[in-house]
Amino acid sequence: MKKTVKGRWRLAVALGVAATLAISGCGLNEDNSSSSSSPSDSVLRIGTTTDVSNFNPLQSLSKTDSWILNAMYPHLLRIDENAKKAPELAKEYRYEDDGKTAVFVLRDDFKWTDGKPVVADDVKFSAEMIMKYKLGNVAAKLTWVESIEAPDAATVKFKLSQPYAPFAEGVGFWMSIVPKHIFEPAGDLSKFPNDSNWVGAGPFVLESMTKGQRYVMKRNEHYPLAPNGKAAVSQVEYRVYPDVNTMMLALRNGDIDMMGTPVPISAAKTFENDEKIKLKKVGALGFAHLTYNMKNKNLAAQEVRQALSMAVDTKSIISAVLQGDGQQMAGPISPIFSEYDNTEIQPYPFDPEGAKAKLSAAGYKDANNDGFFDELKFGVACDQSNANLTRVVQLFRESAAKAGIKLENECVERNTFLTRTKNGEYDIDASQWGVFDNPMDQLRSTYLSSNPGGINYNLLKSAEVDALINDAAGTTDPEAFKTKIKNLDKVVHEQAYLTPLYVENFQFAYNASKFTGFVPSPSDLLGMVTAYSLAQVTPVK
């Protein structure tokens, strides 16, 4: 007889919706009127700085892609404003067979915009295609799936090769559900652009786009997680601006109603005297960090990575970039996961002279006496639209020079940055994780060498780390699991595979004189524009 183990919660039908969400926008010289709106329509205009690069929700990794696509394609679970998992398409989940079967029970009132119901076969198909073509970061989360069953329209069963405690929450939160009847005829989904004739089941569905200008989304007239069965806003437009400063000016001028990206801390005070604009502060599920490419022969040396960690003046960065509103990190697990955070680990001290001594002891020399070690010249890549990280790179260059390490600023347009990072075309990556919903999935995604489609941007291949990750992943005893996670935390710290910088709070700006009801979720990725949040927004009358 099967033994049933309850999930952390049985998800109430009345609760919740989507987790990650929408972006993109409109040209600076474009008419502000919507292409398909009438005078009585309510149009919410959201600013962004980048275009969508991939419209296939099963393989997209970009923040901007996910903002648009998660407004269209439901997920089984979402993260609420308290950083807890909540129901979306699934109304409950549970484990059976001593943890080797994860069962999701679906709501029966979701519909695709072509009128067909969202059913278990859609979930099964979505997961199987991700596994078949190794699509996106969800592929790694499905590693232990041996088979998937859909015994009826409302039940999906994932049969696992071994128990994996975070499986249901990780897959439930991250995996987009697509319509089987639309995607199956496309054949190879790794090549399916999904760039027209969109069919979705979220609160909004993409209607038209003008690359570099705007993305127009129309309301889904049947969306059960909105208060009245559909969003109060009839249309959402994502308007593209060249930079954050231009976007802030557009908000002040009334050209947009909200900024999809956080307001830089240095600019937040500029909104203080504007009675229409409101700032909402939310926390973070991710953190800023430096990642070192292990394919670079010098960065593959532990001493060099440790020296670079000693050449980062993190406290000054927090003071200058975040105006003190941030928490320094030591290891790769965010303090938000307090029960897994190894508090015995201390951050590398800022010690340029100590870094120099370490490098000299490792055999590096300054033969031409120019103040820099001859072989230690690295580019630092970042997303140039992130004002905080561009400033971090500048400060890192200055402090690293004191340690005899020459750095070059290689910050570029976001989609270019993402492509280079994914392909390993960089030396050092200065970036910010948007969302980690549990530490085990985080460690597997970022450090497992066999990780298919994940975010192992170190390009790390370590038999030791692989063994530690796989051992922890199969551990069902809670206390033993915590101990193993903390040990992994220690190993990553000692090897200096990355230099954690800080956890910050984010502030989002919107026109409170026109719209209200946003439900924020932690992180810059989720922020104010998750599917659930947009479905709750109401115009101010």
Side-chain angles (χ1 to χ4, degrees):
M1 188 170 104
K2 291 184 178 179
K3 178 181 177 183
T4 298
V5 181
K6 300 290 184 185
R8 292 186 182 178
W9 37 257
R10 292 180 65 87
L11 303 174
V13 178
L15 294 179
V17 60
T20 35
L21 189 49
I23 184 172
S24 277
C26 178
L28 296 179
N29 300 316
E30 188 175 6
D31 187 339
N32 285 340
S33 62
S34 164
S35 61
S36 61
S37 62
S38 69
S40 62
D41 283 337
S42 173
V43 181
L44 173 64
R45 299 160 300 173
I46 303 173
T48 183
T49 57
T50 52
D51 278 289
V52 173
S53 62
N54 188 340
F55 290 96
N56 187 333
L58 299 184
Q59 61 183 163
S60 174
L61 285 175
S62 167
K63 174 193 298 185
T64 56
D65 301 357
S66 69
W67 285 359
I68 286 285
L69 298 174
N70 286 308
M72 299 167 61
Y73 301 100
H75 291 216
L76 294 164
L77 309 175
R78 67 181 181 93
I79 288 182
D80 67 14
E81 58 270 32
N82 298 312
K84 303 297 183 183
K85 295 292 169 52
E88 189 177 331
L89 177 58
K91 63 181 181 180
E92 68 174 57
Y93 80 82
R94 64 181 183 270
Y95 288 103
E96 297 177 346
D97 300 334
D98 295 321
K100 293 182 68 175
T101 299
V103 182
F104 289 94
V105 180
L106 310 184
R107 296 175 63 118
D108 61 4
D109 52 0
F110 269 72
K111 291 182 180 180
W112 299 109
T113 47
D114 62 4
K116 295 183 181 294
V118 181
V119 294
D121 273 342
D122 293 316
V123 179
K124 179 177 183 290
F125 172 79
S126 300
E128 288 177 342
M129 292 302 100
I130 291 170
M131 294 166 62
K132 179 178 180 178
Y133 296 108
K134 294 181 170 54
L135 302 176
N137 65 340
V138 178
K141 303 179 190 303
L142 294 168
T143 300
W144 289 296
V145 175
E146 294 186 329
S147 64
I148 307 171
E149 300 175 1
D152 57 60
T155 307
V156 186
K157 295 186 176 184
F158 292 84
K159 301 286 186 176
L160 310 180
S161 60
Q162 66 183 57
Y164 182 56
F167 175 83
E169 291 197 356
V171 170
F173 169 65
W174 286 101
M175 186 174 70
S176 296
I177 310 304
V178 300
K180 178 180 178 180
H181 64 284
I182 300 294
F183 277 60
E184 187 173 43
D188 185 348
L189 293 188
S190 68
K191 300 177 181 178
F192 180 42
N194 190 41
D195 55 1
S196 62
N197 301 317
W198 295 279
V199 173
F204 297 92
V205 64
L206 198 58
E207 182 178 37
S208 65
M209 65 169 179
T210 305
K211 192 175 179 65
Q213 295 186 6
R214 69 176 180 178
Y215 297 76
V216 179
M217 305 190 79
K218 65 180 180 180
R219 176 172 60 199
N220 178 355
E221 297 300 315
H222 181 91
Y223 186 69
L225 296 174
N228 296 310
K230 64 180 179 182
V233 172
S234 64
Q235 185 171 290
V236 172
E237 293 183 13
Y238 290 93
R239 299 189 168 193
V240 182
Y241 291 91
D243 52 59
V244 174
N245 289 331
T246 309
M247 192 199 310
M248 288 193 297
L249 180 61
L251 179 61
R252 288 194 191 93
N253 292 342
D255 296 326
I256 58 174
D257 309 303
M258 183 180 184
M259 292 175 57
T261 53
V263 178
I265 290 178
S266 59
K269 290 184 178 180
T270 64
F271 288 115
E272 287 182 353
N273 296 322
D274 193 321
E275 295 180 355
K276 297 179 299 183
I277 307 303
K278 183 175 180 179
L279 291 173
K280 181 69 175 180
K281 181 177 286 191
V282 302
L285 287 171
F287 56 91
H289 62 281
L290 302 169
T291 296
Y292 306 111
N293 190 336
M294 298 292 286
K295 296 296 184 181
N296 182 298
K297 67 175 183 178
N298 290 309
L299 292 173
Q302 180 184 15
E303 296 88 351
V304 173
R305 300 192 303 273
Q306 289 177 333
L308 282 161
S309 297
M310 296 166 65
V312 183
D313 191 353
T314 304
K315 291 182 178 178
S316 292
I317 286 174
I318 292 173
S319 176
V321 177
L322 304 181
Q323 297 183 9
D325 191 13
Q327 180 178 354
Q328 185 175 7
M329 291 180 58
I333 303 298
S334 171
I336 198 170
F337 302 113
S338 57
E339 57 188 339
Y340 301 104
D341 183 26
N342 191 337
T343 56
E344 295 180 1
I345 294 174
Q346 296 298 315
Y348 283 91
F350 175 56
D351 184 2
E353 292 302 319
K356 271 187 176 180
K358 181 180 286 289
L359 293 170
S360 295
Y364 291 94
K365 301 183 183 301
D366 176 14
N368 60 4
N369 294 314
D370 66 349
F372 294 99
F373 290 101
D374 299 333
E375 297 181 64
L376 301 185
K377 179 179 179 180
F378 306 111
V380 186
C382 84
D383 168 13
Q384 66 184 12
S385 70
N386 188 317
N388 287 347
L389 287 177
T390 55
R391 179 69 172 139
V392 165
V393 172
Q394 177 184 345
L395 294 173
F396 183 28
R397 288 180 62 201
E398 295 169 1
S399 62
K402 298 176 182 178
I405 304 171
K406 180 174 286 187
L407 302 179
E408 297 292 336
N409 186 326
E410 295 182 353
C411 295
V412 292
E413 182 271 336
R414 179 170 177 78
N415 287 331
T416 303
F417 164 72
L418 290 171
T419 299
R420 291 181 182 175
T421 303
K422 185 178 181 181
N423 294 337
E425 299 169 353
Y426 74 96
D427 297 325
I428 302 173
D429 165 350
S431 58
Q432 187 156 326
W433 299 126
V435 175
F436 282 124
D437 64 307
N438 69 74
M440 186 71 256
D441 274 351
Q442 171 190 334
L443 292 167
R444 291 188 69 249
S445 294
T446 50
Y447 300 112
L448 191 65
S449 63
S450 61
N451 182 1
I455 47 178
N456 181 357
Y457 295 150
N458 280 107
L459 305 179
L460 175 66
K461 291 187 177 181
S462 166
E464 176 195 11
V465 173
D466 284 356
L468 291 172
I469 290 173
N470 289 327
D471 178 51
T475 301
T476 56
D477 178 76
E479 293 306 315
F481 180 71
K482 292 175 188 176
T483 298
K484 290 178 180 181
I485 293 295
K486 289 181 179 179
N487 183 49
L488 271 163
D489 198 354
K490 180 180 179 182
V491 170
V492 171
H493 173 72
E494 290 177 347
Q495 287 292 328
Y497 291 132
L498 87 167
T499 302
L501 296 175
Y502 53 75
V503 177
E504 68 172 304
N505 292 316
F506 302 104
Q507 295 194 81
F508 293 88
Y510 66 99
N511 190 332
S513 71
K514 294 183 63 178
F515 293 98
T516 187
F518 295 95
V519 180
S521 292
S523 91
D524 63 327
L525 173 62
L526 305 180
M528 301 283 279
V529 291
T530 66
Y532 185 77
S533 179
L534 294 187
Q536 314 309 307
V537 173
T538 58
V540 174
K541 297 180 180 179

